[in-house]
Amino acid sequence: MDDDTSEQAFAELQSRNLGGWGLAQIGFGTGLAIYAMWVGILQPGFRKVPLKLQVPYIPASKAQVDNVMTLLKGRNGGLVDLGSGDGRIVLEASRRGFSPAVGYELNPWLICLSRFHAWRADRHEKVSFRREDLWKVDLTECKNITVFLAPSVLLVVTECLLDELPDDALVVAGRFPFPDWAPCRVEGCGVDRAWAYNMQAQRRLGVSYIPLPCVITLIA
């Protein structure tokens, strides 16, 4: 088909009334594409996870990442991101001097994407991404933890953090706060807000149920 014929066919397609059947075909094709993306990219990490603990992949915004890093300012050592998604929190932590910076993610496609981002940023030798069950990760030596998890998962992971983390550990949650914990600091507002939790304070709260003073910092 020559160029003139191609342009004529394209113009005819643009002017054609698709009708109900044509719109139905487009809708079906769009739905099929979304389903294929779900099966190929999102679902593999969820197949063995109870429904209430499934966390959909929603990339952290730049503002969310910045707020998390602000709450971690002045701290050093390693950092662990539970449910690391595409790895952007881990990569930014590495850029800011946290070492080792490790992300744990169940979805194999997101692990591959994280490693690609690390390679493109020339940080593949400074960060690591591991496909492991969050409930089986050893946190006893971790002092900087970040989590972007759904409220239902935060309720479950609370016990693990209290049991394993040292008193001087800081946990930073993005997008959703821990339901039963009192933050020591808050950064940002709306969906970009992040909450910081001191583990020693949470253990004191758990024993005495006496509210501790909290410094709230908001960014307009």
Side-chain angles (χ1 to χ4, degrees), residues 20-34:
W21 172 242
L23 292 175
Q25 287 181 307
I26 293 174
F28 177 78
T30 303
L32 186 62
I34 294 174

PDB file of all heavy atoms in Angstrom, residues 20-34:
ATOM      1  N   GLY A  20     -22.279   1.009  18.002  1.00  0.00           N
ATOM      2  CA  GLY A  20     -22.239   0.264  19.258  1.00  0.00           C
ATOM      3  C   GLY A  20     -21.274  -0.891  19.230  1.00  0.00           C
ATOM      4  O   GLY A  20     -20.534  -1.127  20.192  1.00  0.00           O
ATOM      5  N   TRP A  21     -21.239  -1.650  18.128  1.00  0.00           N
ATOM      6  CA  TRP A  21     -20.355  -2.817  18.052  1.00  0.00           C
ATOM      7  C   TRP A  21     -18.888  -2.405  18.061  1.00  0.00           C
ATOM      8  O   TRP A  21     -18.044  -3.014  18.722  1.00  0.00           O
ATOM      9  CB  TRP A  21     -20.673  -3.626  16.809  1.00  0.00           C
ATOM     10  CG  TRP A  21     -19.703  -4.755  16.537  1.00  0.00           C
ATOM     11  CD1 TRP A  21     -18.910  -4.914  15.459  1.00  0.00           C
ATOM     12  CD2 TRP A  21     -19.437  -5.880  17.391  1.00  0.00           C
ATOM     13  NE1 TRP A  21     -18.158  -6.055  15.567  1.00  0.00           N
ATOM     14  CE2 TRP A  21     -18.467  -6.679  16.739  1.00  0.00           C
ATOM     15  CE3 TRP A  21     -19.929  -6.285  18.631  1.00  0.00           C
ATOM     16  CZ2 TRP A  21     -17.975  -7.855  17.292  1.00  0.00           C
ATOM     17  CZ3 TRP A  21     -19.428  -7.469  19.171  1.00  0.00           C
ATOM     18  CH2 TRP A  21     -18.474  -8.236  18.515  1.00  0.00           C
ATOM     19  N   GLY A  22     -18.567  -1.323  17.361  1.00  0.00           N
ATOM     20  CA  GLY A  22     -17.193  -0.852  17.344  1.00  0.00           C
ATOM     21  C   GLY A  22     -16.731  -0.393  18.715  1.00  0.00           C
ATOM     22  O   GLY A  22     -15.616  -0.706  19.149  1.00  0.00           O
ATOM     23  N   LEU A  23     -17.602   0.342  19.413  1.00  0.00           N
ATOM     24  CA  LEU A  23     -17.246   0.782  20.764  1.00  0.00           C
ATOM     25  C   LEU A  23     -17.084  -0.404  21.699  1.00  0.00           C
ATOM     26  O   LEU A  23     -16.214  -0.413  22.568  1.00  0.00           O
ATOM     27  CB  LEU A  23     -18.333   1.728  21.301  1.00  0.00           C
ATOM     28  CG  LEU A  23     -18.442   3.087  20.593  1.00  0.00           C
ATOM     29  CD1 LEU A  23     -19.627   3.865  21.131  1.00  0.00           C
ATOM     30  CD2 LEU A  23     -17.151   3.888  20.765  1.00  0.00           C
ATOM     31  N   ALA A  24     -17.920  -1.417  21.515  1.00  0.00           N
ATOM     32  CA  ALA A  24     -17.818  -2.619  22.350  1.00  0.00           C
ATOM     33  C   ALA A  24     -16.485  -3.319  22.120  1.00  0.00           C
ATOM     34  O   ALA A  24     -15.850  -3.813  23.062  1.00  0.00           O
ATOM     35  CB  ALA A  24     -18.977  -3.564  22.052  1.00  0.00           C
ATOM     36  N   GLN A  25     -16.037  -3.370  20.862  1.00  0.00           N
ATOM     37  CA  GLN A  25     -14.757  -3.992  20.551  1.00  0.00           C
ATOM     38  C   GLN A  25     -13.610  -3.236  21.203  1.00  0.00           C
ATOM     39  O   GLN A  25     -12.675  -3.846  21.735  1.00  0.00           O
ATOM     40  CB  GLN A  25     -14.559  -4.051  19.034  1.00  0.00           C
ATOM     41  CG  GLN A  25     -15.425  -5.095  18.339  1.00  0.00           C
ATOM     42  CD  GLN A  25     -15.176  -5.121  16.856  1.00  0.00           C
ATOM     43  OE1 GLN A  25     -15.252  -4.088  16.195  1.00  0.00           O
ATOM     44  NE2 GLN A  25     -14.876  -6.283  16.320  1.00  0.00           N
ATOM     45  N   ILE A  26     -13.668  -1.904  21.144  1.00  0.00           N
ATOM     46  CA  ILE A  26     -12.627  -1.091  21.763  1.00  0.00           C
ATOM     47  C   ILE A  26     -12.599  -1.315  23.269  1.00  0.00           C
ATOM     48  O   ILE A  26     -11.547  -1.481  23.883  1.00  0.00           O
ATOM     49  CB  ILE A  26     -12.833   0.402  21.439  1.00  0.00           C
ATOM     50  CG1 ILE A  26     -12.613   0.656  19.944  1.00  0.00           C
ATOM     51  CG2 ILE A  26     -11.894   1.277  22.278  1.00  0.00           C
ATOM     52  CD1 ILE A  26     -12.924   2.067  19.518  1.00  0.00           C
ATOM     53  N   GLY A  27     -13.804  -1.333  23.871  1.00  0.00           N
ATOM     54  CA  GLY A  27     -13.885  -1.567  25.309  1.00  0.00           C
ATOM     55  C   GLY A  27     -13.342  -2.924  25.697  1.00  0.00           C
ATOM     56  O   GLY A  27     -12.627  -3.071  26.690  1.00  0.00           O
ATOM     57  N   PHE A  28     -13.668  -3.933  24.896  1.00  0.00           N
ATOM     58  CA  PHE A  28     -13.176  -5.281  25.180  1.00  0.00           C
ATOM     59  C   PHE A  28     -11.659  -5.337  25.067  1.00  0.00           C
ATOM     60  O   PHE A  28     -10.970  -5.929  25.903  1.00  0.00           O
ATOM     61  CB  PHE A  28     -13.815  -6.281  24.221  1.00  0.00           C
ATOM     62  CG  PHE A  28     -13.298  -7.690  24.391  1.00  0.00           C
ATOM     63  CD1 PHE A  28     -13.743  -8.489  25.433  1.00  0.00           C
ATOM     64  CD2 PHE A  28     -12.359  -8.206  23.506  1.00  0.00           C
ATOM     65  CE1 PHE A  28     -13.261  -9.782  25.598  1.00  0.00           C
ATOM     66  CE2 PHE A  28     -11.867  -9.489  23.665  1.00  0.00           C
ATOM     67  CZ  PHE A  28     -12.336 -10.283  24.703  1.00  0.00           C
ATOM     68  N   GLY A  29     -11.133  -4.686  24.028  1.00  0.00           N
ATOM     69  CA  GLY A  29      -9.684  -4.695  23.841  1.00  0.00           C
ATOM     70  C   GLY A  29      -8.958  -3.985  24.971  1.00  0.00           C
ATOM     71  O   GLY A  29      -7.923  -4.443  25.443  1.00  0.00           O
ATOM     72  N   THR A  30      -9.518  -2.858  25.418  1.00  0.00           N
ATOM     73  CA  THR A  30      -8.916  -2.140  26.539  1.00  0.00           C
ATOM     74  C   THR A  30      -8.940  -2.979  27.804  1.00  0.00           C
ATOM     75  O   THR A  30      -7.961  -3.062  28.542  1.00  0.00           O
ATOM     76  CB  THR A  30      -9.654  -0.809  26.770  1.00  0.00           C
ATOM     77  OG1 THR A  30      -9.631  -0.041  25.574  1.00  0.00           O
ATOM     78  CG2 THR A  30      -9.005  -0.020  27.916  1.00  0.00           C
ATOM     79  N   GLY A  31     -10.076  -3.608  28.055  1.00  0.00           N
ATOM     80  CA  GLY A  31     -10.191  -4.464  29.236  1.00  0.00           C
ATOM     81  C   GLY A  31      -9.231  -5.623  29.181  1.00  0.00           C
ATOM     82  O   GLY A  31      -8.632  -6.007  30.197  1.00  0.00           O
ATOM     83  N   LEU A  32      -9.053  -6.203  27.995  1.00  0.00           N
ATOM     84  CA  LEU A  32      -8.122  -7.318  27.846  1.00  0.00           C
ATOM     85  C   LEU A  32      -6.695  -6.880  28.124  1.00  0.00           C
ATOM     86  O   LEU A  32      -5.918  -7.598  28.758  1.00  0.00           O
ATOM     87  CB  LEU A  32      -8.231  -7.888  26.424  1.00  0.00           C
ATOM     88  CG  LEU A  32      -7.416  -9.160  26.126  1.00  0.00           C
ATOM     89  CD1 LEU A  32      -7.890 -10.294  27.032  1.00  0.00           C
ATOM     90  CD2 LEU A  32      -7.560  -9.552  24.668  1.00  0.00           C
ATOM     91  N   ALA A  33      -6.346  -5.686  27.668  1.00  0.00           N
ATOM     92  CA  ALA A  33      -4.992  -5.179  27.904  1.00  0.00           C
ATOM     93  C   ALA A  33      -4.743  -4.963  29.394  1.00  0.00           C
ATOM     94  O   ALA A  33      -3.682  -5.287  29.924  1.00  0.00           O
ATOM     95  CB  ALA A  33      -4.783  -3.868  27.145  1.00  0.00           C
ATOM     96  N   ILE A  34      -5.751  -4.405  30.092  1.00  0.00           N
ATOM     97  CA  ILE A  34      -5.608  -4.187  31.531  1.00  0.00           C
ATOM     98  C   ILE A  34      -5.481  -5.507  32.262  1.00  0.00           C
ATOM     99  O   ILE A  34      -4.665  -5.666  33.170  1.00  0.00           O
ATOM    100  CB  ILE A  34      -6.815  -3.377  32.069  1.00  0.00           C
ATOM    101  CG1 ILE A  34      -6.800  -1.961  31.476  1.00  0.00           C
ATOM    102  CG2 ILE A  34      -6.805  -3.322  33.591  1.00  0.00           C
ATOM    103  CD1 ILE A  34      -8.008  -1.142  31.812  1.00  0.00           C
TER     104      ILE A  34
END
